Amino acid sequence: MILSFFILVTMHSNQDYSLQNNNSFNFKASCSRIYFPSSLADLQQLPDFTTDEATGNAAENFYILGEGSNTLFVEAKAPIIIQPKFTGIDISEQEDHFIVTVGAAENWHDLVCFCLKRGVNGLENLALIPGSVGAAPVQNIGAYGVEFADFCQAVQWYEFSSKTILSLSKEACNFAYRDSIFKQENYNKGLITQVTFKFSKAWQANLSYAGLDVLAKNSTAKEVMAEVIVLRSSKLPDPKKLPNAGSFFKNPIVSHDVFTQLQQQYPNIPHYFQHNPQKQSQPSGEVKLAAGWLIDQAGLKGFRHNGVGVHQQQALVLVNYESEWGTDIICLAKYIQRVVAEKFSVALIPEVRMITQQGEQSFLSLSDNNPIGNINHD
Ligand SMILES: Cc1cc2nc3c(=O)[nH]c(=O)nc-3n(C[C@H](O)[C@H](O)[C@H](O)COP(=O)(O)OP(=O)(O)OC[C@H]3O[C@@H](n4cnc5c(N)ncnc54)[C@H](O)[C@@H]3O)c2cc1C
């Protein structure tokens, strides 16, 4: 009895809890309750967060928070927060590969450094991506031609309904561009406690991406990481100095016909032909466009409004100069979406998760309560 009371008090806080230091936009928000589960016993003591299959709603609104670097708190009040605190990194060496098991609360970049220091190569292209290890599978983080899924062996998943931890294989996670089962079928049905990686000892540097092709073919993983850090630091604002959540919109994927029409009008439009996820050698017929280029060409790079704005160098990043409230980013993002749609007939969809007191919301459902009027950006 004494033991379970101790677990309960250390696991959660009932006082109004400020989340300003828990979101990289640095917006003000607080929640009335926050849970910090770090063991299966903690998880089993959480309130009932199972979703009613008929309504699709949980008994209480909640949000699972990592480090908040892909999270936008839209209102002063946030729902109940669960912030998993599973820690630890275990490396096991096999004949031709390493298996690395990592707690969800570990910091992603620290993990990359930890692995490279011990001669476990593979994650170097993903260096300096902010956030926790537990959030990495959710949107299948990616950068410089590499994505989380390339090294994932399994994801340990606590299921609210069965109160057990399941091991989901890489195949079961349905990874795709900025997508996974955790955003689809498993959405809000549990949380990630640990991630297991497999790294082959037959490592080869992946220098396919623009910027890394300057490196020698025999570069070491540490050299690749150093270059990735240089490139990222020169392009992306550091959230600690200029609050932001990285790429605000996903790169839109359009049909080949839409792309051909756009290319006739804009011959220099950056594009990446997509491949069939099952047969990588075959084209899928879809084309990925660069959201940052579209925003830039719409004349919005450097645009500022109500203390927030489009970054001067990187149009895909929305930054918080001096605003206190997430609604200012919503108004700006709605404006950008409108201007880009008018110019290119392409819909920009946010990558960042939008949280109100009612839980996560779709961008479409959020109202633009202070719309920005038409401005000439030529
Ligand atoms: C400057 C900057 C650069 C960035 N660059 C990149 C980049 O190059 N590539 C890229 O892919 N992303 C990038 N991002 C986005 C961000 O780093 C990733 O999305 C990261 O994985 C978010 O981690 P987090 O812990 O902060 O997640 P949070 O913002 O806390 O949460 C993100 C999502 O994951 C869910 N989640 C978090 N933890 C868990 C868990 N344990 N179990 C289940 N669900 C969970 C949340 O509910 C939410 O849906 C960048 C962000 C910034 C600020």
Side-chain angles (χ1 to χ4, degrees):
M1 177 64 192
I2 293 170
L3 182 66
S4 67
F5 175 73
F6 180 72
I7 290 168
L8 214 67
V9 286
T10 54
M11 195 211 2
H12 85 285
S13 159
N14 258 334
Q15 288 169 349
D16 206 46
Y17 189 94
S18 170
L19 297 164
Q20 195 167 11
N21 291 331
N22 281 273
N23 73 96
S24 61
F25 267 125
N26 195 35
F27 285 126
K28 283 190 174 168
S30 67
C31 60
S32 58
R33 239 185 307 156
I34 185 164
Y35 293 90
F36 304 107
S38 62
S39 66
L40 177 60
D42 285 354
L43 289 168
Q44 289 169 334
Q45 290 183 58
L46 289 174
D48 182 10
F49 288 120
T50 47
T51 310
D52 182 302
E53 290 298 333
T55 62
N57 296 325
E60 301 205 72
N61 295 318
F62 68 96
Y63 180 64
I64 301 158
L65 182 67
E67 295 184 19
S69 64
N70 206 28
T71 296
L72 173 61
F73 290 114
V74 179
E75 297 176 339
K77 287 283 167 208
I80 297 171
I81 299 288
I82 312 170
Q83 193 172 45
K85 291 289 181 193
F86 290 77
T87 54
I89 305 178
D90 178 68
I91 298 181
S92 122
E93 184 169 359
Q94 312 290 319
E95 198 182 325
D96 58 355
H97 63 270
F98 295 98
I99 298 292
V100 181
T101 303
V102 191
E106 295 293 340
N107 175 267
W108 178 265
H109 179 69
D110 290 350
L111 170 69
V112 178
C113 299
F114 185 92
C115 288
L116 260 60
K117 249 188 212 157
R118 284 154 186 81
V120 179
N121 300 335
L123 297 182
E124 53 285 345
N125 294 43
L126 301 177
L128 219 59
I129 298 183
S132 61
V133 169
V138 176
Q139 70 153 3
N140 183 20
I141 58 168
Y144 293 95
V146 173
E147 55 184 24
F148 169 84
D150 297 338
F151 303 99
C152 175
Q153 164 141 305
V155 173
Q156 280 69 50
W157 168 255
Y158 176 74
E159 192 179 53
F160 291 143
S161 59
S162 64
K163 294 193 174 224
T164 56
I165 294 177
L166 311 173
S167 180
L168 305 181
S169 69
K170 171 185 170 168
E171 290 68 33
C173 292
N174 285 344
F175 291 118
Y177 169 65
R178 298 293 182 272
D179 202 12
S180 71
I181 194 172
F182 309 108
K183 287 173 110 178
Q184 307 291 340
E185 295 95 301
N186 282 16
Y187 176 68
N188 271 358
K189 291 186 180 160
L191 55 82
I192 293 162
T193 58
Q194 276 184 326
V195 172
T196 307
F197 299 85
K198 182 177 179 180
F199 299 102
S200 167
K201 286 187 182 172
W203 172 84
Q204 270 197 316
N206 182 338
L207 306 176
S208 57
Y209 211 80
L212 294 181
D213 45 8
V214 296
L215 291 175
K217 286 208 167 48
N218 62 353
S219 299
T220 64
K222 283 183 183 161
E223 285 165 347
V224 176
M225 177 163 93
E227 188 61 24
V228 168
I229 290 175
V230 168
L231 287 169
R232 288 186 70 97
S233 311
S234 68
K235 283 188 191 164
L236 291 168
D238 178 352
K240 291 197 181 82
K241 295 181 187 147
L242 185 53
N244 72 85
S247 305
F248 192 86
F249 296 100
K250 293 190 228 183
N251 286 323
I253 295 176
V254 298
S255 70
H256 201 274
D257 288 350
V258 169
F259 166 67
T260 310
Q261 282 166 24
L262 282 167
Q263 202 185 29
Q264 277 164 8
Q265 227 181 329
Y266 306 97
N268 297 330
I269 187 167
H271 57 278
Y272 314 91
F273 292 107
Q274 297 296 283
H275 292 275
N276 185 324
Q278 265 78 47
K279 287 196 181 139
Q280 281 294 319
S281 56
Q282 289 180 7
S284 70
E286 292 181 314
V287 184
K288 199 195 293 176
L289 306 177
W293 186 88
L294 300 172
I295 297 169
D296 188 3
Q297 293 298 304
L300 292 166
K301 203 189 241 182
F303 174 67
R304 285 188 187 205
H305 188 82
N306 269 356
V308 298
V310 181
H311 190 248
Q312 295 280 2
Q313 276 89 45
Q314 179 48 269
L316 195 47
V317 178
L318 305 191
V319 293
N320 177 15
Y321 292 105
E322 52 185 4
S323 166
E324 293 185 333
W325 305 111
T327 43
D328 288 327
I329 285 283
I330 297 294
C331 294
L332 176 67
K334 296 250 176 200
Y335 179 68
I336 294 168
Q337 199 186 42
R338 205 165 65 234
V339 173
V340 167
E342 278 164 11
K343 189 170 169 79
F344 299 103
S345 299
V346 172
L348 291 183
I349 314 282
E351 177 184 309
V352 173
R353 319 296 291 250
M354 322 267 160
I355 314 304
T356 70
Q357 194 169 11
Q358 271 62 52
E360 182 165 7
Q361 307 298 321
S362 74
F363 184 57
L364 213 62
S365 70
L366 292 170
S367 56
D368 188 356
N369 49 19
N370 194 8
I372 303 174
N374 289 338
I375 300 168
N376 186 353
H377 294 283
D378 289 342

